[in-house]
Amino acid sequence: MLAILQHWLAHALGYMVHEYAHSFTAWLLHFKANPLALDYGHITLDNILFQEDIDENVDYGPIFAAGHGYLAALIAVAGVLIGNGLSYLLSRLLYARAQMKESRVWAMFFFWICVMSVGNFLSYVPVHTFATHADLATTVQGFGVSAWMIAVVLGVPFAIAIWHFLTRMLPDAKVFLFQQEPVSQGVLILLTTDLIFVFFGGSGIRNYGSASHWLSAFSKYVLSPVITVFSLQQSAHRWPIRERLYRS
């Protein structure tokens, strides 16, 4: 039950941090009066569980019309770059601190927040980079560059973050959280890879254009099983607590 609650809360935090990053950036650039004024949607089960109706509530039309396309691009990219970027860095730091204190409850919570962060990285680059609409389409339009440029500039650091998570944090977490419980370790890996490569990676399978569709299909049907098998077989060397502050 604790894991389910943490899982839901981590997703909600990751989602809200993303939307508030859009909103606060628009406010700082004087294109929004109230940074807390998101479109919170309706009180429905889907919205409570997945925040499906919540939106940044930023009108990009007047920004482009005023000739400030590059500012519209900054607002659009802020969600994943600033919002999820900060949640990724903070969750890594707080996870390490929880380990040093041998607090498995807090370590698992920060682990899930990190999962949501890297999942957003994959969802936006490359899955939504070539989409016909939404944040990165606005970013491409605002900066007046090729989507390939965005894919490279954001894709390289995002790919490094995902790789580091999968090869360092995940194998470390499965041992720290479930030291002598191989079944629980397997469940942790399955949930993690499903979230990253199916839930987030598969988010462009519909309504975002053919490029996003095929990238999502590749994430769901190729990357997900391959990385799941790799993670299940990966040896998990548990470093001493004092050496865990991610020397790399």
Side-chain angles (χ1 to χ4, degrees):
M1 292 301 296
L2 176 64
I4 292 172
L5 176 61
Q6 287 189 349
H7 191 280
W8 170 80
L9 184 57
H11 178 269
L13 285 173
Y15 192 99
M16 297 304 291
V17 163
H18 181 102
E19 299 304 324
Y20 277 123
H22 287 304
S23 188
F24 270 85
T25 303
W27 174 69
L28 288 170
L29 295 175
H30 306 293
F31 292 113
K32 190 170 183 179
N34 182 0
L36 300 178
L38 302 183
D39 181 358
Y40 292 98
H42 301 88
I43 302 177
T44 63
L45 183 60
D46 282 346
N47 201 28
I48 292 172
L49 292 178
F50 303 109
Q51 298 78 52
E52 288 187 348
D53 290 340
I54 299 176
D55 183 75
E56 73 221 50
N57 193 24
V58 174
D59 187 358
Y60 290 97
I63 304 175
F64 278 106
H68 299 303
Y70 68 99
L71 296 180
L74 289 175
I75 297 168
V77 79
V80 66
L81 184 60
I82 298 175
N84 298 125
L86 287 176
S87 67
Y88 169 79
L89 294 173
L90 285 174
S91 63
R92 295 298 300 256
L93 175 63
L94 294 172
Y95 171 84
R97 289 187 176 181
Q99 280 186 312
M100 294 180 69
K101 295 181 179 180
E102 291 287 345
S103 175
R104 289 176 172 78
V105 172
W106 283 109
M108 184 166 66
F109 177 60
F110 295 126
F111 172 83
W112 288 126
I113 292 179
C114 195
V115 170
M116 303 306 169
S117 303
V118 298
N120 270 284
F121 291 163
L122 177 65
S123 176
Y124 280 85
V125 183
V127 171
H128 287 152
T129 308
F130 303 93
T132 54
H133 62 283
D135 289 349
L136 290 192
T138 302
T139 303
V140 169
Q141 179 186 355
F143 284 136
V145 298
S146 166
W148 285 104
M149 177 68 73
I150 302 298
V152 171
V153 172
L154 293 183
V156 171
F158 285 2
I160 292 172
I162 295 170
W163 170 84
H164 195 270
F165 172 84
L166 292 172
T167 60
R168 299 298 179 90
M169 189 171 185
L170 178 56
D172 182 82
K174 74 177 183 181
V175 173
F176 178 72
L177 298 175
F178 306 105
Q179 296 180 22
Q180 305 297 327
E181 304 174 58
V183 173
S184 296
Q185 290 179 359
V187 171
L188 179 75
I189 290 170
L190 289 171
L191 283 174
T192 299
T193 55
D194 183 76
L195 273 168
I196 294 173
F197 296 101
V198 177
F199 181 77
F200 285 104
S203 61
I205 201 99
R206 296 183 183 89
N207 304 321
Y208 288 94
S210 61
S212 291
H213 169 82
W214 289 111
L215 287 167
S216 285
F218 182 76
S219 178
K220 290 180 67 172
Y221 303 119
V222 179
L223 289 180
S224 178
V226 168
I227 294 177
T228 298
V229 171
F230 169 79
S231 298
L232 288 170
Q233 295 178 344
Q234 187 178 16
S235 61
H237 174 67
R238 186 184 175 190
W239 304 323
I241 288 290
R242 294 182 183 277
E243 296 178 9
R244 276 206 189 118
L245 205 49
Y246 296 107
R247 295 172 295 178
S248 58

